[in-house]
């Protein structure tokens, strides 16, 4: 099997995902994706006619964010027309899955140069989705509007799922808020030390004016006392029908887990932030890298995808991590950096407990609670963050995983390449 190397990783800063409030919210989704593709091209002096494919993830594929953004963004970024592009959807795991697929194409020997990544403009999706709902049109996703699927695999609101898991695992709100405070603290320290600088680009308009050059979402002054005052964000959904004359979101979970007593717990301080952003990874075969003078930063060791209970929805990262470790022939003790997306605090808390791993190694520079979660862009962002951290600390292996709607999780293990 051929080797797949990471040549470079870039991302935008994360912008508040509210129309008219976040700096990136005025951009066209294809332009946002094009910014990171253009950065990869310029930073690595790519002959884009050699790019076999741009494999792109987008979760909210509606309105301006529908269609094949992978292809259109590449053209917008000035890529040669020979560079193909495809767009896929695995909800939150879209960008990480895109990278797994790109690496697989190189390792199979079919491709030599692939760009993977993802983008998401939650400011636009939330705005446009509300317009669709106001017009009586469903936005789709997670089995909503499909009574037959809901009868087989009831799927609830993700926040309600997070609260249900916390109840089932006996995890307290205080323990979740400790994780939330730590995420903010670590992110603030990482930003202050410039740990994200290598991968983060400045987003500019066509005239060269700066649109965004910093993270908009973090709240470094967050305290445990402050979080304790926040009201649970998903309590309203417990008794809300998931569809007209349908079961409530709580009843959907209790349909499969009748004994669970769901206590509203998660709030904005221990849930991932709503943001806009894009990220891209440049992958190459060993032969192509050597021939064209591209210096590898990392190596893809193993990839995995797995599914778990769709009703609880958020529990697949643990099984995905075990699966990818087995494929790599490694143990948890071999991993120096773990990046586990902080979709909700309970996801990471359960992951740490189930695998019995050192908390200091998990999201050492904070996570989506502090920085925000631009859905399909988050996976490739985490790969870049993990690679930067391996280089900073001299570590060898990093494992990246995240939950995705439908009860899924992709995972990948990367290895730092010695300079």
């Amino acid at each position: 099997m051929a080797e797949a190397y990471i040549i470079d990783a870039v991302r935008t800063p994360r912008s508040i995902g509210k129309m008219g409030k976040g700096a990136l919210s005025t951009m066209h989704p294809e332009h946002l994706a094009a910014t990171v593709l253009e950065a990869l091209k310029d930073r690595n002096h790519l002959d884009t006619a050699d790019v076999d494919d741009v494999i792109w993830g987008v979760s909210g594929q509606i309105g301006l964010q529908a269609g094949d953004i992978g292809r259109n963004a590449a053209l917008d970024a000035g890529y040669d027309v020979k560079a193909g592009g495809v767009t896929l959807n695995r909800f939150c795991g879209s960008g990480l899955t895109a990278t797994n697929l790109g690496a697989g194409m190189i390792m199979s020997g079919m491709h030599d140069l692939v760009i993977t990544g993802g983008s998401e403009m939650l400011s636009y999706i939330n705005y446009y989705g509300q317009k669709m709902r106001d017009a009586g049109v469903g936005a789709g996703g997670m089995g909503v509007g499909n009574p037959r699927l809901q009868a087989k695999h009831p799927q609830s609101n993700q926040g309600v799922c997070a609260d249900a898991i916390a109840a089932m695992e006996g995890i307290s709100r205080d323990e979740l808020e400790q994780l939330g405070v730590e995420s903010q603290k670590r992110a603030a320290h990482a930003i202050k030390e410039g740990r994200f600088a290598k991968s983060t680009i400045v987003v500019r308009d066509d005239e060269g004016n700066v649109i965004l050059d910093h993270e908009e979402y973090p709240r470094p002054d967050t305290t445990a006392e402050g979080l304790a005052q926040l009201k649970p964000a998903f309590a309203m959904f417990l008794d809300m029908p998931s569809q007209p004359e349908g079961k409530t979101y709580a009843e959907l979970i209790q349909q499969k887990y009748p004994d669970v007593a769901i206590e509203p717990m998660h709030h904005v301080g221990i849930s991932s932030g709503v943001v806009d952003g894009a990220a891209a990874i440049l992958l190459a075969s060993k032969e192509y890298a050597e021939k064209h003078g591209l210096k590898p930063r990392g190596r893809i060791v193993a990839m995995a995808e797995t599914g778990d209970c769709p009703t609880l929805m958020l529990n697949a990262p643990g099984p995905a991590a075990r699966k990818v470790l087995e494929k790599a022939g490694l143990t948890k003790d071999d991993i120096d950096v773990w990046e586990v997306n902080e979709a909700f605090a309970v996801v990471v808390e359960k992951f740490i407990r189930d695998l019995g791993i050192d908390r200091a190694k998990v999201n050492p520079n904070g996570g989506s609670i502090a920085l925000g979660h631009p859905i399909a862009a988050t996976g490739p962002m985490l790969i870049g963050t993990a690679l930067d951290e391996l280089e900073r600390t001299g570590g060898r292996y990093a494992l990246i995983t995240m939950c995705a709607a439908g009860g899924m999780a992709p995972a990948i293990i990367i290895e730092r390449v010695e300079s």
Side-chain angles (χ1 to χ4, degrees), residues 11 184-197 214-215 218 220 365 371 392:
R11 69 170 179 88
Q184 294 283 357
K185 184 185 301 183
R186 292 183 182 187
H189 186 67
I191 292 170
K192 184 178 180 180
E193 288 199 345
R195 295 185 186 180
F196 302 135
H214 65 281
E215 303 289 342
N365 296 306
L371 296 162
R392 186 185 74 85

Side-chain angles (χ1 to χ4, degrees), residues 25-355:
S25 67
T26 59
M27 298 182 72
H28 192 290
E30 291 171 1
H31 182 197
L32 176 63
T35 60
V36 288
L37 294 178
E38 188 172 3
L40 278 184
K41 176 189 68 174
D42 294 344
R43 282 166 51 135
N44 298 279
H45 309 290
L46 292 181
D47 180 351
T48 57
D50 290 345
V51 175
D52 292 299
D53 211 356
V54 176
I55 306 178
W56 207 250
V58 176
S59 179
Q61 296 185 12
I62 57 175
L64 295 177
Q65 201 165 265
D68 189 355
I69 285 187
R71 170 62 168 176
N72 290 341
L75 294 174
D76 190 14
Y79 279 43
D80 193 284
V81 296
K82 293 179 181 178
V86 65
T87 302
L88 59 85
N89 187 351
R90 197 193 292 275
F91 302 111
C92 296
S94 300
L96 186 51
T97 293
T99 302
N100 286 357
L101 291 175
M105 292 300 294
I106 290 174
M107 294 164 80
S108 72
M110 295 297 102
H111 288 346
D112 286 300
L113 188 66
V114 178
I115 293 174
T116 68
S119 56
E120 207 81 45
M121 291 191 64
L122 287 174
S123 58
Y124 174 76
I125 292 302
N126 290 340
Y127 173 81
Y128 188 84
Q130 186 59 52
K131 292 290 186 183
M132 293 176 67
R133 287 186 286 272
D134 291 344
V137 180
M142 296 185 289
V144 175
N146 184 348
R148 192 172 82 165
L149 177 57
Q150 287 288 49
K152 296 176 181 178
H153 296 289
Q155 297 179 59
S156 185
N157 172 275
Q158 290 190 349
V160 176
C161 292
D163 288 339
I165 293 168
M168 296 171 74
E169 297 292 326
I171 299 173
S172 70
R173 172 168 164 164
D174 179 65
E175 290 169 321
L176 297 176
E177 289 176 344
Q178 289 177 33
L179 191 147
V181 171
E182 186 63 22
S183 180
Q184 294 283 357
K185 184 185 301 183
R186 292 183 182 187
H189 186 67
I191 292 170
K192 184 178 180 180
E193 288 199 345
R195 295 185 186 180
F196 302 135
K198 187 171 186 177
S199 296
T200 306
I201 65 169
V202 175
V203 181
R204 301 178 184 274
D205 63 18
D206 290 340
E207 286 70 45
N209 301 309
V210 173
I211 297 176
L212 184 65
D213 62 0
H214 65 281
E215 303 289 342
E216 285 190 333
Y217 191 79
R219 294 169 172 80
D221 296 331
T222 298
T223 64
E225 293 76 17
L227 293 185
Q229 303 302 313
L230 297 177
K231 293 182 179 180
F234 306 100
M236 70 181 78
F237 292 103
L238 291 179
D239 299 322
M240 182 185 294
S242 60
Q243 50 196 325
E245 300 182 4
K247 293 185 177 182
T248 67
Y249 287 106
E251 289 172 339
L252 287 172
I253 292 176
Q254 291 162 345
Q255 176 180 328
K256 191 162 186 178
Y257 299 94
D259 296 329
V260 62
I262 304 172
E263 177 185 349
M265 209 176 292
H266 283 80
H267 50 67
V268 66
I270 50 175
S271 304
S272 54
V274 177
V275 297
D276 299 335
I281 309 290
L282 177 60
L283 302 173
S285 66
K286 180 179 180 181
E287 292 73 19
Y288 187 92
E290 290 178 346
K291 182 178 179 180
H292 294 85
L294 297 175
K295 186 178 179 182
R297 296 176 58 197
R299 180 180 73 90
I300 307 297
V301 179
M303 307 92 69
E305 316 281 345
T306 195
D308 199 76
C309 174
T311 300
L312 293 178
M313 202 176 299
L314 310 174
N315 283 340
R322 292 188 179 96
K323 185 175 182 179
V324 77
L325 284 169
E326 183 177 354
K327 287 183 175 294
L330 299 173
T331 72
K332 64 180 183 180
D333 295 329
D334 294 312
I335 304 300
D336 300 294
V337 176
W338 302 77
E339 286 291 337
V340 184
N341 185 42
E342 294 173 353
F344 300 92
V346 75
V347 175
V348 180
E349 185 63 29
K350 176 174 167 55
F351 184 93
I352 291 171
R353 295 183 184 196
D354 286 353
L355 273 70

